[in-house]
Structure formats: structure tokens, C-alpha cells
Amino acid sequence: MTFYRLASVVDRLIAQGFSGQIGVTDFRYFPTDGKPYPADFPSAQFLSEFAQFAADLARATNRPGRVVFEVWNEPNLLGVFWPAKRDGVNEAKLFAKLLTQTTEAIHLAAPGSTVIAGGLFSYYDSYALDMMTEYN
């Protein structure tokens, strides 16, 4: 996948004095689209494909010091940006795995890039601590 058009937009924004934050996410299963998350989300295949997508995106659009890559959005807003809570599944651990694999792919493709985790919907539950414990 190429991102020449997006890279052009990033360059034009920077030329105007702006910096950018690019959300690296996958909206195929967003509730308004009506497609449920697969039972095994995020599968090994999904993680591999998503990491490659993120690497390609970063390779095309990274401008050190001017562009930040945000991996996912509100992963603990279960049932919206992540599957609904599943019995026996540590959703925070799965997000940490996605975040780790994606961050590594971005850094390999675009050395010097800045990567941040998607903001959390709420910090009032154990999700943040569970995720940070698993993230490496």
C-alpha cells in the first residue's frame, strides 16, 4: 500500500507551520459499519497485516519532530473501538501485543519516528495498569 497522497498532505501542512498526528487504526469493524469483530481478534494474521500497514504508512509520512503516530484509539472503549468484553480474554494484554508489534514495525520502517498509544476512554478501571504491565 502506498500513501503518496497522504504524504503530500503532511508536507503541505508542515510547509504551513503545522505538525501532525496520524491515527493508525482499522475501522473495518466499527459498529456503524455493522461488521462484528472476529472472535479471534486480533489474530496473528491481523497483527502481521496491521503492522505492515503501519510500517508502510510511517515510511511514507514520517517527518521526525513533526509527525506523531498514534496506534489505535480508545482501545478500552470495548464494543466500539475494540471487541466487546469476552469471557476469559485479557483485552488489555491483546492491545499491548498489538501496540508492541505495531510500534516495532513503525520504528523499523521509519527510524526516529514518534509513536504513542491510543488514548484511553477512562482511567478508572484496571485496563491502563494491565496494558502497561504487558507492554514492552
Side-chain angles (χ1 to χ4, degrees):
M1 180 175 284
T2 60
F3 295 95
Y4 297 114
R5 284 186 175 173
L6 182 57
S8 176
V9 169
V10 168
D11 289 337
R12 289 194 319 255
L13 288 169
I14 289 171
Q16 294 297 315
F18 294 96
S19 292
Q21 179 173 323
I22 298 175
V24 184
T25 193
D26 183 341
F27 285 114
R28 283 182 286 184
Y29 308 110
F30 197 64
T32 57
D33 291 338
K35 291 172 67 176
Y37 285 92
D40 65 345
F41 183 86
S43 66
Q45 179 179 344
F46 175 88
L47 290 172
S48 176
E49 291 171 357
F50 187 72
Q52 184 61 57
F53 164 80
D56 293 344
L57 175 64
R59 192 176 295 109
T61 60
N62 185 42
R63 307 297 183 266
R66 300 302 296 271
V67 173
V68 173
F69 298 96
E70 178 185 18
V71 178
W72 219 255
N73 179 51
E74 298 177 328
N76 64 331
L77 187 53
L78 304 178
V80 178
F81 294 119
W82 197 263
K85 179 71 179 138
R86 298 170 281 185
D87 290 336
V89 175
N90 184 334
E91 304 295 349
K93 181 177 181 176
L94 290 176
F95 175 68
K97 185 175 182 179
L98 179 143
L99 181 60
T100 300
Q101 193 166 336
T102 305
T103 299
E104 289 172 354
I106 290 171
H107 283 152
L108 282 172
S113 56
T114 301
V115 181
I116 61 174
L120 299 181
F121 171 69
S122 166
Y123 295 95
Y124 296 111
D125 58 19
S126 65
Y127 189 96
L129 182 58
D130 291 346
M131 189 261 302
M132 289 187 293
T133 300
E134 294 294 330
Y135 181 71
N136 56 17

